[in-house]
Amino acid sequence: ILGTMAGGAADCSFWIRFLRNESKMHELIHEGRAISVARASRLLSSVLYGNRGLDLSVGTMIMGYDKRDGFSIYYIDNTGVRIKGDMFAVGSGSTFALGILDTEERKFDMSEEEAVTLGIKAIRHATLRDAASGGFIGVYLINENGWRKVFSQDLAKAI
């Protein structure tokens, strides 16, 4: 399972640790079986919904591969909203990233290399257009065996 976070640094860091701990607990209780993407997203959604009055600032995508469900991606926000879909972008620069992604007609029929190139372009565009974006590009590939980081760049060092 891989997750992204956008929002307040303290809120995001807390919920990342929370979900990591719950995922490890699930493995211990269920004889080493990893938590599913759906269950992890539902768990995070539930606790955020329960804390929706605390003015948290969290937006996330939880994604991965399960033998039962195949590939899946969920959007979850600080109000507990949970949406399953095929493509999301989160954070203040997300509209810029989606603008790039939406221009690609073959976005669901690409090679890994083409998908990575498109991801880099979308994140770079969002980061350069939105001052509140972090300035870092991290691109990951997810397959049946897990995930791996395939590209990383600090745009402050690239200029």
Side-chain angles (χ1 to χ4, degrees), residues 56-147:
L56 299 172
S57 176
V58 176
T60 185
M61 295 180 291
I62 305 289
M63 61 209 91
Y65 178 84
D66 303 317
K67 288 181 183 178
R68 188 185 79 195
D69 300 324
F71 294 100
S72 54
I73 178 171
Y74 292 87
Y75 165 82
I76 301 109
D77 74 10
N78 48 273
T79 66
V81 167
R82 175 180 172 260
I83 304 168
K84 184 176 183 178
D86 53 23
M87 181 179 66
F88 295 107
V90 297
S92 58
S94 63
T95 54
F96 298 111
L98 286 171
I100 295 297
L101 295 173
D102 285 343
T103 63
E104 180 57 52
E105 293 178 14
R106 294 182 35 247
K107 65 181 152 257
F108 299 112
D109 183 33
M110 304 177 106
S111 68
E112 284 186 1
E113 184 178 330
E114 290 171 322
V116 168
T117 300
L118 179 61
I120 292 167
K121 181 179 178 182
I123 298 168
R124 181 174 286 134
H125 187 77
T127 301
L128 293 175
R129 294 279 182 194
D130 177 59
S133 290
F136 293 92
I137 298 173
V139 178
Y140 299 80
L141 279 176
I142 299 171
N143 62 27
E144 292 86 354
N145 301 315
W147 57 268

Side-chain angles (χ1 to χ4, degrees), residues 41-60:
S41 68
R42 194 174 320 111
L43 175 63
L44 183 59
S45 171
S46 293
V47 296
L48 288 171
Y49 179 80
N51 290 291
R52 68 192 177 282
L54 298 180
D55 200 28
L56 299 172
S57 176
V58 176
T60 185

Side-chain angles (χ1 to χ4, degrees), residues 4-25:
T4 66
M5 287 281 183
D11 292 342
C12 291
S13 148
F14 175 83
W15 294 111
I16 288 168
R17 285 193 312 275
F18 169 82
L19 196 53
R20 184 181 302 133
N21 290 339
E22 291 295 320
S23 297
K24 288 179 182 178
M25 185 64 74

